[in-house]
Amino acid sequence: MRSLRGMRRVLLKDRCSIEAASMASASEARKILQSQESNSRSINHPMALRRRPRLKPPKPARRLPQALIIGVRKCGTRALLEMLYLHPMVQKASGEVHFFDRDENYALGLDWYRSKMPLSFKGQITIEKSPSYFVTPEVPERVRAMNASVRLLLIVREPVTRAISDYTQLRSRATPSVPAAPPASHPPPDATKPFEHLAIAADGSINADSDLAVPRVSAPMAGGVPAGEQLLVVNGDLLIEDPVPQLRRIEKFLGLEHKIGRRNFYFNETKGFYCLRNDTTDKCLRETKGRKHPRVDPAVVTKLRRFFVQHNQRFYELVGEDLGWPED
């Protein structure tokens, strides 16, 4: 009996050992299967076979301008360019390139012109300004040959105010301490004479030969481009008085988000116009801007404004907008 009990104990012990071993083996097997399934899922997943691409940082490049600022002297082309440069999506050429209006520059080709442009990222707008583009006959065709959809910002001012401002600048250059301006295609007015003597001839008529008096309403860049499509007329007088509304129109015209606001300007009492402000610095246009105008005989101002009425009307029709300039 004792030996029988001992044998039973041995058999029970062996059975437990076998079952334990069997359970251990099953557990290990499950682990192996789970590991294989996990590996199989990770290997067979379509994304597991692809390497994550390395994103290259965007590189800036020099691009031909998508917009040009045009206008005659003292209309505010420089001020407009600097104001638009406050926008993070705008890059500007640092100086007047005179590519389209000077034969010697145009002969150098588009690669040369591109080399004069700033570095910009994709999506930014490059802008160049050369006021004489507005008055040079060859310019429109040359611009179209570069980019038939280029945007034109034509900035204008009330003609008599502009003429007085132009005279003020020319008079400052006539002093010995100021370097002479580069020679123009025709001699500049003699700014040592009073404004009235340049604008009004000896017989009392308007001096049609004076650059200061005759408007450029027939300038080629203003014709053939419907306003609102590729050409936007910017009121330079309103830009000086309150820049933000004019800049909002331009942002919309260029397809830009509204980023330039009143925080970007402060009024300079000494200069009498708005200066620029961004996140890091304040900036006013150079000392040659904002000169005090000489007093002009009111009777001469009235006579000039009456002379300009018919020319202004032609200009309004040309650009499809009445700017409301004074008529007397």
Side-chain angles (χ1 to χ4, degrees):
M1 290 293 293
R2 187 177 298 169
S3 61
L4 197 63
R5 286 194 206 99
M7 187 179 293
R8 189 180 292 132
R9 280 197 298 270
V10 170
L11 289 172
L12 288 170
K13 184 177 180 182
D14 290 344
R15 182 180 176 184
C16 290
S17 297
I18 291 169
E19 289 178 352
S22 177
M23 290 176 65
S25 298
S27 176
E28 290 297 325
R30 276 196 300 272
K31 289 181 180 178
I32 292 171
L33 286 172
Q34 289 171 353
S35 175
Q36 288 176 343
E37 288 175 1
S38 175
N39 290 338
S40 176
R41 281 196 300 269
S42 64
I43 291 173
N44 292 332
H45 194 281
M47 292 304 294
L49 301 177
R50 300 177 187 172
R51 290 185 178 181
R52 183 174 294 177
R54 292 183 180 180
L55 297 176
K56 294 183 179 180
K59 291 184 178 180
R62 300 188 191 279
R63 296 174 171 83
L64 294 171
Q66 297 94 359
L68 297 173
I69 295 175
I70 57 177
V72 274
R73 289 193 309 255
K74 307 311 294 179
C75 278
T77 53
R78 171 57 60 183
L80 177 57
L81 183 65
E82 295 297 337
M83 288 176 183
L84 288 174
Y85 189 52
L86 291 167
H87 199 290
M89 295 304 290
V90 169
Q91 292 289 358
K92 66 180 176 70
S94 59
E96 295 177 5
V97 183
H98 291 286
F99 176 66
F100 298 106
D101 61 319
R102 293 183 181 173
D103 293 341
E104 63 273 22
N105 289 344
Y106 190 71
L108 297 174
L110 287 177
D111 286 340
W112 178 86
Y113 187 40
R114 186 184 289 108
S115 73
K116 299 299 180 182
M117 294 301 109
L119 291 170
S120 66
F121 289 98
K122 188 176 181 180
Q124 289 185 310
I125 292 178
T126 298
I127 300 179
E128 189 238 325
K129 76 101 177 173
S130 292
S132 50
Y133 289 168
F134 184 60
V135 297
T136 306
E138 296 81 9
V139 167
E141 189 57 42
R142 290 174 176 181
V143 171
R144 278 193 290 268
M146 177 196 73
N147 180 2
S149 61
V150 70
R151 296 298 176 103
L152 303 175
L153 297 170
L154 170 60
I155 183 166
V156 294
R157 294 183 69 189
E158 190 275 312
V160 179
T161 304
R162 188 216 65 82
I164 296 171
S165 180
D166 192 13
Y167 168 79
T168 304
Q169 176 171 291
L170 291 170
R171 187 177 64 170
S172 72
R173 289 176 175 173
T175 60
S177 60
V178 179
S185 57
H186 48 80
D190 183 359
T192 59
K193 297 179 180 179
F195 176 84
E196 293 87 343
H197 291 185
L198 294 173
I200 307 298
D203 61 0
S205 63
I206 301 297
N207 186 358
D209 295 328
S210 174
D211 233 14
L212 297 173
V214 178
R216 300 282 191 164
V217 294
S218 60
M221 284 298 283
V225 181
E229 296 181 15
Q230 286 179 246
L231 173 72
L232 181 70
V233 177
V234 181
N235 190 319
D237 299 304
L238 295 181
L239 185 74
I240 293 171
E241 293 175 12
D242 187 3
V244 175
Q246 293 294 306
L247 292 169
R248 290 183 73 85
R249 291 178 63 235
I250 297 170
E251 286 174 321
K252 182 179 180 180
F253 174 71
L254 295 177
L256 296 170
E257 282 188 72
H258 295 310
K259 294 287 187 181
I260 307 174
R262 299 202 179 278
R263 68 187 180 284
N264 296 118
F265 299 94
Y266 67 96
F267 192 77
N268 186 307
E269 296 288 349
T270 303
K271 288 181 172 290
F273 57 73
Y274 283 93
C275 296
L276 285 55
R277 171 174 287 155
N278 59 25
D279 294 335
T280 58
T281 187
D282 294 347
K283 177 181 179 179
C284 263
L285 297 179
R286 61 181 184 266
E287 294 301 320
T288 57
K289 307 296 183 181
R291 297 184 185 94
K292 186 176 180 180
H293 289 183
R295 183 187 178 279
V296 177
D297 184 346
V300 171
V301 171
T302 297
K303 189 167 189 173
L304 286 172
R305 283 179 172 162
R306 288 175 179 170
F307 167 80
F308 276 120
V309 168
Q310 59 178 329
H311 298 288
N312 293 343
Q313 289 299 325
R314 285 173 53 206
F315 182 72
Y316 299 161
E317 293 170 6
L318 196 62
V319 299
E321 182 177 354
D322 188 335
L323 296 171
W325 287 329
E327 298 183 358
D328 53 28

